[in-house]
Amino acid sequence: MKQRVVSGMRPSGKLHIGHFHGVLENWIRMQDSYDCFFFVADWHSLTTEYADTSGIAQSIRDMVLDWVAFGLDPEKCVVFRQSLVPHHSELNLILSMITPVSWLERNPTYKEMLDNIEQKDLTTFGFLGYPVLMAADIILYKATRVPVGHDQLPHLEITREITRRFNYLYGEVFPEPEALLTETPKLPGLDGRKMSKSYNNSIYLSDSAEETRKKVMSMMTDPARVRRSDPGDPDVCVAFNLHRIYVPQEKLDEIIPACRNADIGCVECKKILADCMIERLAPFRARRDELAANPGFIDDLLQEGSRRASLISDAVMTEVRTALKF
Ligand code: SF4
């Protein structure tokens, strides 16, 4: 029997290529070898966006359109929306009763975000408790594996602790989910900082060919290469991080020495990158346009996926209530 994987994404709207290579590509790979449940974590959005929820519905549609257009197949995995499966909320409530506050307060992301995000008041019960909701999201489907990067291991550890506590108090209902460590390529934005919507430095999956070319041509290169005649270093070149993903190896083998000997200029080099990116992304972008022409498509897909997810979660919640002697 296939191992079960559960993973979610907060609805952040249109995805950029950092999201694609960091998360979505892994999901697409996993859908053939695991029993996968992928969800839109819209209730998680409320932990930080509670003051203005007006953009969430559109962000969900834009994001799921990217998921499907770029290769997530709802026939191979369950694609659903968290808030359409209210069992997430019921299990969250039960788990919140057994989770010590000290476990949540020592969560490194919680402390970091409280310190760094000044524009929003994050001193809420919901924000402190988001790892409990995350635990509910995962164990509700009895997931055995959770795809995570190294930096997310502390989150998974809280889920595992909560699972052990539940099983200790009420009997062995849930398997303890294990990490499925995923490779996340380092993908800087156009200006060399982390690719992020808030820095306005992203290349989106849904960008047109022209927008992609314009963005690639504006991308930072090796900061020490001021003149065309200066030798460059691909290892410190911001754009070259994308070359490694999109440009075929034979071409890279030509570019690397040519850059080091100043035989190729950055304009020419980035043109090669833009051409390769545009060519590789074109069929997915065409598919995205096709799907976007049917306005009800994503809503229907999420309704159906959420119905399928509920069949599993309903049975698990019956077990939970029995274990609690309710
Ligand atoms: S030639 Fe290419 S690899 Fe070298 S610094 Fe310019 S863009 Fe980067």
Side-chain angles (χ1 to χ4, degrees):
M1 210 166 87
K2 284 180 180 174
Q3 299 234 38
R4 180 164 293 161
V5 163
V6 173
S7 190
M9 242 189 249
R10 281 170 57 135
S12 52
K14 293 176 177 178
L15 299 182
H16 55 59
I17 58 171
H19 294 124
F20 178 62
H21 297 292
V23 182
L24 187 56
E25 228 179 6
N26 280 320
W27 285 11
I28 293 164
R29 249 179 253 130
M30 282 185 285
Q31 67 184 349
D32 288 314
S33 27
Y34 294 92
D35 177 22
C36 293
F37 285 65
F38 296 126
F39 68 97
V40 178
D42 54 344
W43 273 333
H44 281 279
S45 295
L46 293 179
T47 56
T48 52
E49 309 305 318
Y50 60 85
D52 180 8
T53 58
S54 57
I56 295 178
Q58 190 55 44
S59 288
I60 292 173
R61 289 191 194 103
D62 287 338
M63 182 175 81
V64 178
L65 205 51
D66 283 334
W67 288 5
V68 180
F70 279 73
L72 209 62
D73 182 351
E75 300 288 320
K76 293 182 180 171
C77 57
V78 182
V79 178
F80 68 101
R81 180 173 170 177
Q82 180 188 36
S83 65
L84 292 179
V85 186
H87 296 129
H88 286 252
S89 153
E90 185 183 354
L91 187 56
N92 173 51
L93 180 137
I94 293 169
L95 298 182
S96 72
M97 301 298 172
I98 65 169
T99 304
V101 173
S102 59
W103 292 4
L104 303 172
E105 284 173 335
R106 70 169 193 236
N107 165 16
T109 313
Y110 174 69
K111 285 190 268 184
E112 195 186 306
M113 285 179 76
L114 270 192
D115 290 345
N116 294 328
I117 300 186
E118 286 164 1
Q119 333 69 292
K120 292 174 186 162
D121 178 6
L122 296 183
T123 56
T124 61
F125 178 52
F127 184 62
L128 174 67
Y130 82 82
V132 182
L133 180 57
M134 214 177 251
D137 297 333
I138 294 167
I139 68 176
L140 182 57
Y141 300 94
K142 297 197 173 181
T144 50
R145 305 302 289 268
V146 180
V148 283
H150 276 97
D151 55 331
Q152 295 156 322
L153 281 172
H155 278 128
L156 183 62
E157 205 37 53
I158 300 182
T159 294
R160 286 163 56 83
E161 279 177 311
I162 294 173
T163 308
R164 283 196 289 273
R165 191 162 169 93
F166 183 98
N167 288 344
Y168 170 75
L169 290 168
Y170 308 117
E172 290 284 325
V173 173
F174 297 110
E176 233 178 89
E178 284 177 30
L180 189 60
L181 279 173
T182 52
E183 290 285 321
T184 315
K186 181 175 160 264
L187 214 58
L190 306 177
D191 54 3
R193 292 184 291 174
K194 186 180 170 215
M195 192 173 282
S196 160
K197 198 174 234 176
S198 42
Y199 294 153
N200 197 21
N201 65 357
S202 305
I203 299 175
Y204 291 94
L205 296 180
S206 49
D207 278 347
S208 66
E210 300 75 63
E211 283 166 326
T212 305
R213 186 174 299 282
K214 210 167 144 201
K215 287 180 178 179
V216 168
M217 296 314 292
S218 74
M219 199 164 184
M220 265 180 69
T221 58
D222 171 356
R225 193 171 187 203
V226 182
R227 285 174 296 269
R228 165 73 177 76
S229 53
D230 294 336
D233 181 357
D235 290 337
V236 297
C237 169
V238 175
F240 200 74
N241 289 285
L242 297 190
H243 283 77
R244 289 186 205 283
I245 296 175
Y246 288 97
V247 177
Q249 190 58 47
E250 322 81 75
K251 198 72 201 163
L252 292 182
D253 292 342
E254 289 171 24
I255 290 174
I256 293 169
C259 170
R260 294 194 199 286
N261 299 325
D263 289 337
I264 186 172
C266 292
V267 171
E268 188 191 337
C269 187
K270 288 194 285 188
K271 266 188 192 149
I272 297 170
L273 169 61
D275 288 342
C276 292
M277 279 187 81
I278 290 166
E279 190 186 333
R280 174 131 156 232
L281 296 172
F284 304 109
R285 286 171 166 171
R287 172 131 176 86
R288 193 185 194 283
D289 291 344
E290 239 172 71
L291 297 174
N294 177 354
F297 174 76
I298 294 299
D299 290 352
D300 293 348
L301 181 152
L302 289 174
Q303 283 289 348
E304 172 53 18
S306 303
R307 186 195 64 77
R308 286 169 64 199
S310 298
L311 295 177
I312 308 287
S313 62
D314 190 39
V316 173
M317 284 314 295
T318 301
E319 273 186 70
V320 168
R321 291 182 212 112
T322 305
L324 261 71
K325 302 184 176 57
F326 266 43

